[in-house]
Amino acid sequence: MRIGLKEVAAEAGVSRSTASRALSGSPLISAETRAAVEQAAARLNYQPNRLAGALRSKQSHLVGLVLNNLINASFHTIAEVVQRRAADEGYQVMLGITDADPAREKEFLRTLAAHGVDGLIVIGTGKNGATTNALLAEGTGVVNVIRRPADSAAPSVLAADREGAHAATSHLLDLGHERIGFIGGELTADSGRERFAGYEQALRERGLAVDESLVERGPFAPGFGTEAITRLLRRAPRMTALFAANHEAVFGILPTLASTGVSVPGDLSLVCHEDISWLRYWSPAITVVDNGAAELGELAMNLLLQQMKHGDGGRDGAQEARNGRAYRVGAQLVIRDSTAPPATRRDG
Amino acid sequence: MRIGLKEVAAEAGVSRSTASRALSGSPLISAETRAAVEQAAARLNYQPNRLAGALRSKQSHLVGLVLNNLINASFHTIAEVVQRRAADEGYQVMLGITDADPAREKEFLRTLAAHGVDGLIVIGTGKNGATTNALLAEGTGVVNVIRRPADSAAPSVLAADREGAHAATSHLLDLGHERIGFIGGELTADSGRERFAGYEQALRERGLAVDESLVERGPFAPGFGTEAITRLLRRAPRMTALFAANHEAVFGILPTLASTGVSVPGDLSLVCHEDISWLRYWSPAITVVDNGAAELGELAMNLLLQQMKHGDGGRDGAQEARNGRAYRVGAQLVIRDSTAPPATRRDG
DNA sequence: TGGATCTTTGGGATCGATCCCATTATGCAC
DNA sequence: GTGCATAATGGGATCGATCCCAAAGATCCA
């Protein structure tokens, strides 16, 4: 038979209420009683049933994490950080993978709510603001990450895509490059648009205009990277630098450059957006814009913990914590060996 | 106020018992009553409290997934597969990341059990056989993946490391290579030992002995790959092929080969163990041994579902499903463009 | 020593579902 | 019409913890 609180209470010679108080750290109990109960619990190897506790106390110590996939490096990095931080604070993480399908995402949000999660971290499609707002109103904590539904009443933790792209482009401009290629995502994607905006802005600040013949946009896939860089090399032989703003495309761009004998940074300086661990081991080590995935996860979890702690306490605090404010985690340019001044050409 | 079963019952004009039966698909209820209750539930947007249901019925519809990290491609692939399959079967996944620390792993196993998970998938350290056996005895489903504790009473789903390594090496031998390098993990790691054994066996079958000057073993880290391949190239200039059996090291090996001008497969044929999605986009596309991460996850989840379904039913079935049998998921050699016959040398 | 206050404890209700048992309706055969 | 099996329903107990209220015991001061 499984050991319950009742058995512990009997073993310690006290009532269930007292045993409960002893183990939950209530102050209204004597030190000896607490010790006795703790010893009894240890003797019987008591393992509290969290389900029962959650049902009565309305605190499940469960956090839901909803995201598109676990393949993308930023996503699984965030998942790891969130999980660690949650575990350290006594929360467990329930996982939902949506494939970026809003319907599936909605389904997960409701199911996780049915399981009584105290809070939700949504790295989502941005299409379920209404659902998360409803959960928020019922007292569930919510934090949006990376993408922010237009109508969300929950706080959002966003990457500084525009600033990062601006920094990357400015770095290349500082080195003396003027013909800088751009391979990014479609303008329909938030990150695609923001990063292009940062690129454009940096150029404009130096009095340069975007040359569309240096720009490639396409899906988040390695295959696109291969095609894009091939086209760019043919179309724009005088390009001296490239800003790769499409995470997945990088997987196609790098090998193609290596195999076609383009020397980096000799022939082409290269900056990639989003840090992927092994880019540092590339030869040459790749200069990147680190979007701070770990920090995004960290901050999101902090905001969620804040909400959940205020949850049963004062309404003002909860109100405070539950505003729809957006937070930005700054991007960081990590300069490695793939960027250098352009080769001075006699024929230029 | 939150809508409970009581409210639905009132709305439909029936008792709570009847409402419960209608919504849980019990056969002892009339079609009209069922329809009426379902409509009432829909009208009120009823969302059942899974906590309460789980407490009473001892079925939480929760599955625990314990793994070392989410960075490793095999791990996050398995995590994705398990999550999808679980969701399709009406289960939610609770995540535990252990950093390969047995103590942390044990902690997670107990915590997840306290949350009442119906089953556990453990991609673990192999050090907590006793704990999982205890949970198994209490009626929780357990499946080990990739690593199998020596004393585990639960079924295990293992990768065919030895066979995969054998296939990779044989492929190179078939092409005519004789001086085949090996970069792998330490022999203290199960996968390191098994893969080396497969390599050795393939050589022996052709009457060749292992030449230790062609072998490098080290930690699972990109940096090690860089060092290892650099040493090998210097030490064994006549090596014509390489089997890279250390997943993480591949991240160091590939760029180093590219930057030092070693032509693949012209100068060196290359096979990597474990499929990493972007290896297909490398130039040349890399021949790999696919360890079948997705299939590992799939099979593990099937075995777990089997246990959980038998869970409350016949003891015989449960007994059957809960043997400590080991299952192997075959490795698959995926031949791409990085392997070719050795160049015939005038000076050989 | 009595009474007021504070500390500590026990008993019962409760969270929201499911399960078991008793009860009522229904159908069918004789 | 009676008897009996079957189908459908309702009421209360239950899962295992926490919460609330009342009561018992300890403390202290007048």
Side-chain angles (χ1 to χ4, degrees), chain B residues 2-209:
Chain B
R2 214 182 142 73
I3 303 295
L5 191 53
K6 197 163 62 173
E7 282 75 26
V8 175
E11 171 84 7
V14 297
S15 72
R16 296 173 347 240
S17 309
T18 303
S20 171
R21 272 187 286 256
L23 296 174
S24 66
S26 160
L28 11 92
I29 197 168
S30 72
E32 310 97 68
T33 314
R34 162 162 298 140
V37 174
E38 278 170 352
Q39 282 166 29
R43 243 186 338 263
L44 299 178
N45 191 25
Y46 168 64
Q47 215 47 32
N49 182 331
R50 296 256 191 174
L51 252 44
L55 176 59
R56 177 67 238 237
S57 70
K58 310 266 179 220
Q59 287 231 330
S60 63
H61 287 267
L62 250 38
V63 167
L65 174 63
V66 175
L67 34 68
N68 293 347
N69 65 67
L70 283 175
I71 308 297
N72 183 296
S74 293
F75 292 169
H76 66 235
T77 301
I78 294 174
E80 278 218 350
V81 170
V82 164
Q83 204 285 333
R84 289 228 170 78
R85 193 90 167 70
D88 289 348
E89 299 281 339
Y91 287 86
Q92 290 310 115
V93 172
M94 292 182 60
L95 192 63
I97 297 176
T98 64
D99 288 322
D101 172 4
R104 223 173 141 74
E105 180 175 282
K106 186 172 180 181
E107 180 66 22
F108 268 120
L109 292 171
R110 312 185 95 220
T111 306
L112 293 178
H115 277 282
V117 294
D118 294 335
L120 281 165
I121 290 193
V122 186
I123 311 177
T125 61
K127 300 277 170 60
N128 282 306
T131 305
T132 50
N133 283 350
L135 293 174
L136 207 55
E138 283 178 18
T140 308
V142 177
V143 176
N144 303 300
V145 181
I146 293 185
R147 202 156 303 167
R148 171 208 171 94
D151 49 353
S152 180
S156 302
V157 177
L158 306 175
D161 279 324
R162 188 193 195 114
E163 292 80 350
H166 181 269
T169 313
S170 297
H171 169 57
L172 293 170
L173 289 164
D174 286 345
L175 288 170
H177 295 276
E178 298 200 333
R179 298 187 58 75
I180 302 172
F182 177 92
I183 297 179
E186 303 284 7
L187 292 180
T188 48
D190 288 1
S191 64
R193 196 169 48 247
E194 289 286 309
R195 292 177 190 180
F196 181 71
Y199 164 78
E200 186 178 23
Q201 187 189 341
L203 290 176
R204 211 172 30 225
E205 285 171 5
R206 312 288 173 116
L208 297 172

Side-chain angles (χ1 to χ4, degrees), chain B residues 214-253:
Chain B
L214 292 175
V215 173
E216 284 279 343
R217 296 192 197 83
F220 298 107
F224 164 67
T226 305
E227 299 165 17
I229 186 62
T230 305
R231 278 197 296 267
L232 271 188
L233 290 173
R234 189 164 41 218
R235 195 165 70 213
R238 292 179 54 221
M239 171 176 72
T240 63
L242 174 67
F243 175 39
N246 176 323
H247 177 148
E248 283 78 3
V250 166
F251 293 105
I253 295 170

Side-chain angles (χ1 to χ4, degrees), chain A residues 310 312-320:
Chain A
H310 284 294
D312 37 12
R315 176 173 298 171
D316 289 352
Q319 194 71 5
E320 174 72 16

Side-chain angles (χ1 to χ4, degrees), chain A residues 4-5 20 46 49 56:
Chain A
L5 192 53
S20 170
Y46 167 66
N49 183 330
R56 175 69 239 233

